[in-house]
Amino acid sequence: MSVFECLQRRQYGYGAPPADILMNYASRKMPLLFEEREYHLGTLNKVFAAQWLSENQVVCATKCNKLFVLNLKTGERVVIPSLQGASSANPSSVEHSGNHSVAINPSGTLLATGGKDPLTLAIYTLPSFDPRHLGQGCHHDWIFSIVWLDDKFLVTGSRDSSVAVWKIEDSSQSEQHSVRKQPHSQTASDSSAEELHSETAADSSGVAVSCDLHAANSSTGQPHSQTAEDSSTGQLHSHPAEDSDVHLPSYSNIQSVMRKTCSLGEKVRAVVFNSRSEEVVGLTSNGYLNVWNVNGMKEVFSAAAPFARENTSLTLDPERGLFAVGSQSHVSFLDAATMKHVLNVPSKDKGTGVRSISFRGDVVTMGTGAGSLLFYDVRARRFLDCNCGMTLRLRSGDGWLKYDEMYHGFFSDQLHFPNAVYAHLYDPAGVRLFTAGGPLPAGLWGNYAGLWS
């Protein structure tokens, strides 16, 4: 039944057309109408993950271990203080790892992400972003992916080839530690630590970010003023220091319920929860799929993915029962019930990898390392075109690039670097698409964020 027939039937009193028909129609037509608005993110490095908070707010995580909220109307951003646990045994790995995942529980009351140390799990209360828990003592390497099973349980996937289950207790049952004190000494010129410390930041949607922070004395004991760049106006606002200590809201340490190591594969890059089968699926970077039943986390399946190189993205369409796996050169579709291979689709940007992937109706959206957004119609088994026979391809904006010693030493002969789309997400209505990322080479420092509408 076409959209025209559905609307005609509604005029005759047969009721509104099914929502899935309209969504499938919009998912095919909206990419043709998209125009980009790019956002200035200052000197942050590579946005790895993002989630919608409200109609006009997204929360993003970066390679420089920053968590920030971006207002899509004004372009203003507020950096959320990271939770600090025990010192890492390998400080260099902390500096160069990044925060790779952001996940919000089904009720929208809790947000899970990485801590200051990428081996730890940080839990915040929404919408205030008050810190609630810090999970540590489980993973031995970076946390790459986080997925909620329900409002209390979540699973993390790590570079140490393991997955872990965590339980979040009610706040009344959590044993709170004493108020933590954390010194800060940073200036606006420090590109790796441009945090905005504000007591309350809210936009017209009513979602507030409360951090209850004041500027602190530096490690030398001398007071300083912290400056923060307003990305929408380009002005600098000064917040003078008044107290010698920074008082953060209290939070408790938690331990994982259980930890399981993959029988096959190395470095869990993505984890997805299939609520219909009550299974967690983990994808490893060297091309293996591992499946655990959430009732006891018993591994029930493990096999090689269709392609072995740079498997970095995994998503599930529960309605169609399809998994989509993004690798260096292809997107592969697998039956969610049997994990059998169904279809391979070559990427239009071979060699740079499919860095982010999502289902929206009949259309699979791919974000590539070459800075492209591609749209594949699963039902028609072809890429969407521009009504002229050419494949529809949206290009990420210019973003910002740091011309440092690494750039001049190894990359100065290349004039332009496309921004890899490490994260993309549609709003609930499917009429806006937020994209974010940065330059693909690991040694380059830069960022990109844009809204397509």
Side-chain angles (χ1 to χ4, degrees), residues 108-150:
T109 57
L110 295 174
L111 179 142
T113 187
K116 189 73 174 178
D117 186 333
L119 282 63
T120 61
L121 172 70
I123 306 294
Y124 296 87
T125 301
L126 294 179
S128 64
F129 274 95
D130 288 332
R132 180 159 171 178
H133 299 298
L134 180 67
Q136 53 186 342
C138 175
H139 292 298
H140 310 305
D141 212 330
W142 312 340
I143 292 176
F144 270 143
S145 184
I146 303 171
V147 63
W148 287 90
L149 307 182
D150 54 27

Side-chain angles (χ1 to χ4, degrees), residues 83-220:
L83 303 191
Q84 180 71 55
S87 299
S88 173
N90 187 359
S92 62
S93 67
V94 174
E95 181 181 356
H96 300 291
S97 60
N99 194 340
H100 290 263
S101 185
V102 176
I104 298 175
N105 69 344
S107 65
T109 57
L110 295 174
L111 179 142
T113 187
K116 189 73 174 178
D117 186 333
L119 282 63
T120 61
L121 172 70
I123 306 294
Y124 296 87
T125 301
L126 294 179
S128 64
F129 274 95
D130 288 332
R132 180 159 171 178
H133 299 298
L134 180 67
Q136 53 186 342
C138 175
H139 292 298
H140 310 305
D141 212 330
W142 312 340
I143 292 176
F144 270 143
S145 184
I146 303 171
V147 63
W148 287 90
L149 307 182
D150 54 27
D151 279 340
K152 288 188 177 182
F153 289 90
L154 69 153
V155 173
T156 53
S158 171
R159 195 168 179 256
D160 64 6
S161 304
S162 73
V163 295
V165 181
W166 306 77
K167 182 180 180 181
I168 310 304
E169 300 285 358
D170 294 336
S171 57
S172 58
Q173 300 174 357
S174 299
E175 180 182 356
Q176 299 296 326
H177 289 184
S178 58
V179 174
R180 299 177 59 88
K181 299 180 180 180
Q182 177 178 331
H184 294 270
S185 58
Q186 57 185 348
T187 63
S189 62
D190 185 350
S191 63
S192 65
E194 51 164 357
E195 297 193 7
L196 304 179
H197 295 302
S198 59
E199 293 186 357
T200 303
D203 74 350
S204 57
S205 65
V207 178
V209 179
S210 66
C211 301
D212 295 331
L213 296 175
H214 301 284
N217 285 355
S218 66
S219 58
T220 60

Side-chain angles (χ1 to χ4, degrees), residues 155-370:
V155 173
T156 53
S158 171
R159 195 168 179 256
D160 64 6
S161 304
S162 73
V163 295
V165 181
W166 306 77
K167 182 180 180 181
I168 310 304
E169 300 285 358
D170 294 336
S171 57
S172 58
Q173 300 174 357
S174 299
E175 180 182 356
Q176 299 296 326
H177 289 184
S178 58
V179 174
R180 299 177 59 88
K181 299 180 180 180
Q182 177 178 331
H184 294 270
S185 58
Q186 57 185 348
T187 63
S189 62
D190 185 350
S191 63
S192 65
E194 51 164 357
E195 297 193 7
L196 304 179
H197 295 302
S198 59
E199 293 186 357
T200 303
D203 74 350
S204 57
S205 65
V207 178
V209 179
S210 66
C211 301
D212 295 331
L213 296 175
H214 301 284
N217 285 355
S218 66
S219 58
T220 60
Q222 299 298 322
H224 72 277
S225 296
Q226 184 176 13
T227 58
E229 182 180 353
D230 186 337
S231 61
S232 63
T233 63
Q235 299 177 348
L236 294 177
H237 303 287
S238 177
H239 302 282
E242 297 178 356
D243 301 322
S244 60
D245 294 325
V246 174
H247 298 283
L248 294 177
S250 59
Y251 55 90
S252 62
N253 290 327
I254 59 173
Q255 301 291 327
S256 62
V257 176
M258 65 179 66
R259 178 176 176 269
K260 297 289 184 177
T261 302
C262 296
S263 60
L264 295 174
E266 300 174 353
K267 302 177 183 178
V268 179
R269 290 302 304 263
V271 287
V272 171
F273 175 51
N274 187 347
S275 59
R276 291 191 173 183
S277 62
E278 295 188 339
E279 293 174 337
V280 172
V281 180
L283 172 69
T284 65
S285 59
N286 63 339
Y288 285 91
L289 290 160
N290 296 267
V291 183
W292 296 268
N293 188 289
V294 296
N295 299 312
M297 288 300 288
K298 179 181 178 181
E299 187 169 344
V300 296
F301 179 84
S302 58
F307 296 91
R309 301 188 64 180
E310 291 191 35
N311 289 268
T312 58
S313 53
L314 174 69
T315 190
L316 168 67
D317 183 351
E319 298 301 323
R320 290 164 180 77
L322 278 180
F323 280 104
V325 179
S327 63
Q328 185 185 54
S329 57
H330 289 75
V331 170
S332 303
F333 295 92
L334 297 92
D335 188 316
T338 63
M339 299 303 293
K340 299 295 184 182
H341 166 251
V342 175
L343 175 68
N344 289 325
V345 178
S347 171
K348 296 293 184 179
D349 293 333
K350 292 183 179 180
T352 60
V354 178
R355 303 293 164 172
S356 58
I357 189 168
S358 68
F359 280 97
R360 181 71 190 179
D362 291 331
V363 175
V364 174
T365 303
M366 311 171 191
T368 74

